[in-house]
Amino acid sequence: MSPTQIALKSFDELKEALNGEPKIKVADYVNSGWDIHDAVYSKELLISNKANGYRDITAIIDLSSFRRIPWERNVPFFLVSFLDPDTKAPLPVDPRGVLKLTTDQADSMGYQCYSGVETQLNNDYFHDLFDESLKFDVQIEGHHTETGPGVLETALAYTSALRMADNAILFKYIAKSVGMKHGIIPSFMAKPWGGLPGCSGHVHVSLRNKKGRNIFAVTDEELKSGRPNATNEDTKFISQEAEWFLAGILDGIADVMPAVVPTINGYKRLVGGEAFWAPNAVTYGYDSRAASIRIISPPSCPPAGTRMEVRIPGADMNPYFALSAIFRLGLRGINKKLALPGPPITHFSPEDRSNGKIKMLPTSLESATARMMRPDSIAREPEVFGNDFVDHYGGTREHEVKLWNEAVTNWEVERYLELA
């Protein structure tokens, strides 16, 4: 656990929830001064650095996240949010805090963010994982084998965006904790094997109004023959707001790629492209698994189920950052009433990827980070991520690239050791 100062919003409420139990577990998922292997970042970053002595940060327990860990003798468990220890302001790079600001932004526009997430892993402990997830209050909609050896797909039940991100991150925790009991180490690597499909983290998103109506759905009258002012056939059964939302994602997705695909390995999943069910271009289409953004709408589903499936992320994504990126781009599209940048994927040929008709996504973390950190990057706009987030988080990704560039891999040794 990173060093933090734990602050309680209501000690009496916490004490009541715990019934006097002395032991609790608090989820901690942000390291602001060092990487996932506890190495200090290669450059001085915003939150925790040499100048401020790699200071502690303040963690606020979210009492509404209270649950018990069934495989650890029902020890109480909480999620936390992180604050600046001096100003008490939310940290601009706290994953859960970023998504909370995203949902607040939507709420100010009269919308509520809803999402579903698919994750995949290699395991042979199907039933125990399913049962323990339900006991831990992480609802699972489906759980089945997928493409590739040892790959299992878990679809988490649709819910509010913040709760969905919590469930997605907690499901990984469950999978690894339960896996230890079975002598198994499950992996959420995006591309664990060459020559085979990778492990995706598909994200389903929609907006609802305060009354719970799906904003992406067409009206009953439009359901008969489609929305009259739709840009094309693929968008005729989604609302105008949904079309603007879709245009917003397409307009900015390439500039926020490190928030959606955060690892070196994640881009290896995308390099294979459609051959491995990993779209790597700025494309959309009705019910198309070849497109980066799949429109799910009538007639393939009821109007209430209308949504977008963003097929770019891998299973190694940070769900808080990925959902924030998607919703903030979509809300930006609604605010600006952006037009779709072109026709759906069915109007393009395979050659259009090489001749420039289709806009390609970055194919490496290095190029994606450089694009995100450009002065004119959409990611830097205040309504998307803003400068503080981009500079700090981009610095962490530059650090990852530096370590990768310094590494000597088994592939290099096998290829060059004798024949170079």
Side-chain angles (χ1 to χ4, degrees):
M1 178 178 281
S2 306
T4 55
Q5 302 165 358
I6 300 296
L8 307 180
K9 286 185 176 178
S10 169
F11 184 77
D12 289 338
E13 287 182 81
L14 179 62
K15 187 166 62 174
E16 181 179 347
L18 297 179
N19 292 321
E21 296 179 51
K23 180 181 179 184
I24 67 171
K25 180 167 287 191
V26 178
D28 178 14
Y29 45 79
V30 60
N31 286 321
S32 56
W34 47 90
D35 66 15
I36 58 175
H37 286 279
D38 288 340
V40 175
Y41 285 123
S42 307
K43 59 188 287 188
E44 294 292 281
L45 298 177
L46 177 67
I47 307 300
S48 181
N49 50 53
K50 187 175 182 179
N52 62 29
Y54 300 100
R55 62 179 181 173
D56 288 352
I57 53 179
T58 299
I60 297 292
I61 291 177
D62 181 353
L63 296 175
S64 69
S65 70
F66 169 62
R67 65 195 75 199
R68 295 178 182 274
I69 307 176
W71 60 91
E72 292 191 18
R73 299 183 180 179
N74 283 325
V75 60
F77 177 96
F78 296 90
L79 292 166
V80 300
S81 296
F82 294 92
L83 308 180
D84 184 287
D86 299 324
T87 67
K88 302 301 184 289
L91 290 184
V93 295
D94 167 27
R96 199 164 187 261
V98 168
L99 183 54
K100 178 62 167 60
L101 291 175
T102 302
T103 58
D104 288 347
Q105 180 181 332
D107 186 68
S108 70
M109 298 171 62
Y111 303 133
Q112 296 175 327
C113 300
Y114 276 76
S115 178
V117 172
E118 303 169 9
T119 65
Q120 298 177 346
L121 66 161
N122 180 3
N123 68 49
D124 60 359
Y125 54 106
F126 183 101
H127 293 293
D128 199 13
L129 179 59
F130 195 97
D131 293 342
E132 295 300 312
S133 294
L134 294 181
K135 292 177 188 176
F136 198 49
D137 200 24
V138 174
Q139 287 73 29
I140 292 176
E141 185 176 275
H143 199 53
H144 58 85
T145 55
E146 253 292 348
T147 307
V151 174
L152 201 76
E153 177 179 294
T154 300
L156 302 178
Y158 211 61
T159 186
S160 65
L162 186 59
R163 177 61 186 267
M164 174 51 58
D166 288 345
N167 286 353
I169 207 79
L170 291 176
F171 178 76
K172 293 183 180 183
Y173 170 56
I174 297 166
K176 293 176 181 179
S177 299
V178 175
M180 291 174 64
K181 293 170 54 180
H182 293 264
I184 293 169
I185 300 176
S187 174
F188 291 87
M189 279 184 67
K191 186 71 170 178
W193 311 283
L196 288 170
C199 296
S200 65
H202 298 156
V203 176
H204 296 244
V205 296
S206 70
L207 292 175
R208 296 184 186 180
N209 63 19
K210 296 298 178 64
K211 295 182 179 180
R213 181 185 178 276
N214 188 342
I215 297 298
F216 288 1
V218 294
T219 65
D220 292 341
E221 184 63 29
E222 291 169 334
L223 187 60
K224 297 175 183 177
S225 57
R227 181 166 54 88
N229 59 338
T231 298
N232 54 57
E233 287 292 310
D234 285 46
T235 63
K236 66 187 297 185
F237 288 107
I238 63 174
S239 69
Q240 179 63 75
E241 289 85 355
E243 191 172 296
W244 288 331
F245 189 96
L246 171 61
I249 299 175
L250 295 169
D251 185 53
I253 192 66
D255 281 8
V256 300
M257 279 292 284
V260 178
V261 183
T263 67
I264 295 289
N265 181 256
Y267 291 85
K268 296 194 173 183
R269 169 180 165 268
L270 294 179
V271 168
E274 294 173 27
F276 294 114
W277 301 101
N280 55 12
V282 181
T283 54
Y284 70 97
Y286 168 72
D287 206 15
S288 173
R289 288 182 170 84
S292 292
I293 316 296
R294 174 187 171 211
I295 299 171
I296 303 174
S297 71
S300 67
C301 74
T306 304
R307 60 196 186 274
M308 309 290 172
E309 180 191 43
V310 182
R311 298 178 57 81
I312 298 168
D316 60 353
M317 68 169 174
N318 181 311
Y320 300 100
F321 289 159
L323 285 174
S324 292
I326 292 164
F327 278 111
R328 291 187 185 199
L329 290 177
L331 294 172
R332 175 179 177 271
I334 292 176
N335 275 330
K336 293 180 176 292
K337 298 183 179 180
L338 294 179
L340 290 172
I345 194 172
T346 51
H347 288 58
F348 294 106
S349 68
E351 293 75 23
D352 289 336
R353 295 175 181 273
S354 56
N355 65 26
K357 287 187 178 180
I358 291 183
K359 181 180 176 183
M360 303 302 294
L361 293 169
T363 56
S364 71
L365 181 59
E366 185 169 15
S367 61
T369 302
R371 179 172 184 132
M372 181 182 74
M373 297 186 76
R374 292 179 359 257
D376 60 344
S377 168
I378 288 173
R380 289 190 177 276
E381 294 182 9
E383 64 181 312
V384 184
F385 281 124
N387 287 325
D388 285 349
F389 177 91
V390 170
D391 289 339
H392 179 92
Y393 183 68
T396 73
R397 299 306 86 198
E398 288 177 330
H399 168 81
E400 201 77 2
V401 169
K402 178 178 183 291
L403 296 182
W404 166 248
N405 287 338
E406 292 172 351
V408 177
T409 66
N410 289 342
W411 184 90
E412 293 168 279
V413 173
E414 292 171 4
R415 189 168 182 86
Y416 301 123
L417 185 63
E418 294 183 37
L419 300 179

